[in-house]
Amino acid sequence: MTTSQPAGVSEADLEHLFDRTIADDARIEPRDWMPDGYRKTLIRQVAQHAHSEIIGMQPEGNWLTRAPSLRRKAILMAKVQDEAGHGLYLYSAAETLGADRVDLTVKLIEGKQKYSSIFNYPTLTYADVGTIGWLVDGAAICNQVPLCRSSFGPYARAMIRVCKEESFHQRQGYELLATMMRGTDEQRAMVQESVNRWWWPALMMFGPPDDKSPNTEQSMQWKIKRHTNDELRQRFVDMSMPQAKALGVTFPDPDLAWNEERGSYDFGEPDWNEFTEVITGNGAANAERIANRRAAHEDGVWVREAAMAFAARNEETN
Ligand code: 3HC
């Protein structure tokens, strides 16, 4: 898609208007002029975010048929469906930038676009459903609430609804874990074991450290991102510690300690080699996640063809 440039208005004027809009904290809308780099960065981030929501249905979807009660099953089903909805809002936001939804999906299944590292870990017990809600959706909220003020209008507006739903997801996870912690010793051990496995991957969701994040500086200047990766990671640790204490679980980090001077928790360094392996396709579940997504895309060919034929017929008759 080319940027709209009204006749008689110079590129320099348009750039000036764009810069002023960003400086005034106003929103860039799809038909506004924008630098190519801004458009490209947004398509990259929004597409990765959309793919994450869709791939993110798989780890928990794994437990739908084995939920321990009808109540738990209904809650989990609603959550997984919400994630599908989030993916759809986000693909729509990417389309307003000129991206093509099918093309983005093909790029995902061919490994040309990323999705969140967190969804490449397996869900081994039902406690993982609670831990994902509490920590993974908790990290997602921490990252995404500031994105409600992102400079691109459709992305920021999509985030408002997404965050409301993520907040429900986080609470259902916490409530599930709190219920298990009031149960038997075996259940409490299951929760702790699950928290031990998810803590470090949850911290990695925020992306590489600031000094190794190639995109943060420019994205902050454009107000696509409002905080750096490390700022949000710190916020998440500070938010999670009192919740862990209330639940009665610990995090597997010997360096976690309150720092009176900073008014924040100190914490250890995630294993960034593991992160690199996971985002380059070598995590425990990467191959399975992509194989499932590819199969769903291929199985859906007839639905897309039928929808296109129906739309074409409607166009002919109107
Ligand atoms: N998983 C996979 N890739 C990651 C990543 C992660 N956790 N963190 C960073 N990366 C990738 C980046 O995409 C970038 O790769 P690229 O240049 O090839 O595209 C590279 O690592 C360097 O990272 P940067 O910090 O420079 O990249 P960004 O400035 O884009 O910051 C981000 C990364 C913080 C994840 C940012 O893109 C962002 O805030 N995205 C929106 C939120 C999002 O996508 N969340 C995914 C989780 S989905 C979810 O929360 C669903 C819920 O249901 C749980």
Side-chain angles (χ1 to χ4, degrees):
M1 187 196 254
T2 51
T3 304
S4 50
Q5 183 166 352
V9 182
S10 73
E11 179 112 351
D13 286 342
L14 290 167
E15 197 163 349
H16 179 69
L17 183 62
F18 172 87
D19 289 344
R20 216 183 52 210
T21 308
I22 299 287
D24 289 348
D25 256 340
R27 293 276 151 79
I28 304 294
E29 295 298 338
R31 284 167 199 229
D32 293 344
W33 182 92
M34 60 186 85
D36 287 344
Y38 179 84
R39 186 186 298 280
K40 228 172 122 190
T41 297
L42 269 166
I43 292 178
R44 179 185 63 77
Q45 177 166 328
V46 176
Q48 177 183 307
H49 195 164
H51 299 328
S52 304
E53 301 282 357
I54 298 297
I55 295 277
M57 295 164 73
Q58 293 185 39
E60 289 173 288
N62 175 39
W63 283 94
L64 273 174
T65 53
R66 288 167 293 155
S69 67
L70 182 60
R71 176 172 176 268
R72 291 289 171 204
K73 190 180 183 117
I75 294 171
L76 185 55
M77 185 106 74
K79 178 184 191 286
V80 172
Q81 283 175 340
D82 283 351
E83 307 299 359
H86 298 173
L88 298 185
Y89 314 147
L90 287 160
Y91 283 126
S92 299
E95 281 177 326
T96 71
L97 289 156
D100 176 81
R101 190 181 296 224
V102 174
D103 177 53
L104 296 180
T105 301
V106 170
K107 286 195 170 111
L108 166 71
I109 57 189
E110 287 180 351
K112 292 180 185 148
Q113 276 181 350
K114 295 190 173 80
Y115 59 93
S116 183
S117 49
I118 193 75
F119 300 120
N120 292 305
Y121 293 85
T123 41
L124 305 180
T125 69
Y126 201 75
D128 288 356
V129 170
T131 309
I132 290 177
W134 175 40
L135 293 181
V136 173
D137 289 84
I141 294 169
C142 212
N143 168 264
Q144 290 168 27
V145 166
L147 293 175
C148 297
R149 294 186 297 113
S150 185
S151 58
F152 185 58
Y155 189 34
R157 288 190 287 275
M159 278 303 107
I160 294 171
R161 178 154 174 192
V162 167
C163 286
K164 284 188 180 153
E165 292 176 352
E166 299 293 15
S167 172
F168 151 70
H169 299 169
Q170 202 256 1
R171 281 161 202 224
Q172 67 80 35
Y174 188 86
E175 189 265 347
L176 167 54
L177 295 185
T179 305
M180 290 183 78
M181 292 301 286
R182 287 194 300 272
T184 62
D185 285 348
E186 202 182 352
Q187 285 175 307
R188 276 186 284 278
M190 203 189 276
V191 172
Q192 184 62 61
E193 187 276 331
S194 170
V195 169
N196 289 348
R197 273 185 292 113
W198 290 95
W199 174 246
W200 291 110
L203 292 191
M204 293 177 200
M205 284 176 72
F206 295 93
D210 293 349
D211 59 356
K212 302 217 167 51
S213 161
N215 301 300
T216 294
E217 193 183 340
Q218 180 62 77
S219 288
M220 298 270 291
Q221 272 167 22
W222 279 327
K223 297 184 181 169
I224 293 172
K225 282 168 83 163
R226 293 291 187 151
H227 301 280
T228 71
N229 300 352
D230 285 335
E231 282 167 6
L232 291 174
R233 196 170 2 256
Q234 178 73 63
R235 189 179 285 188
F236 175 68
V237 172
D238 291 344
M239 183 182 102
S240 301
M241 278 301 282
Q243 295 173 2
K245 280 186 187 151
L247 265 182
V249 296
T250 56
F251 294 130
D253 178 356
D255 296 328
L256 253 175
W258 178 250
N259 183 323
E260 193 64 50
E261 215 171 286
R262 292 198 306 118
S264 265
Y265 283 91
D266 291 336
F267 57 99
E269 199 64 37
D271 180 348
W272 293 114
N273 291 331
E274 176 181 316
F275 174 76
T276 306
E277 283 297 304
V278 171
I279 68 169
T280 47
N282 302 318
N286 291 64
E288 182 189 336
R289 301 288 183 247
I290 291 296
N292 286 340
R293 184 67 195 92
R294 181 187 289 277
H297 186 63
E298 287 169 2
D299 289 349
V301 167
W302 70 271
V303 179
R304 290 191 295 280
E305 281 175 2
M308 294 305 281
F310 183 74
R313 206 188 61 181
N314 266 5
E315 226 165 73
E316 264 168 36
T317 50
N318 286 336

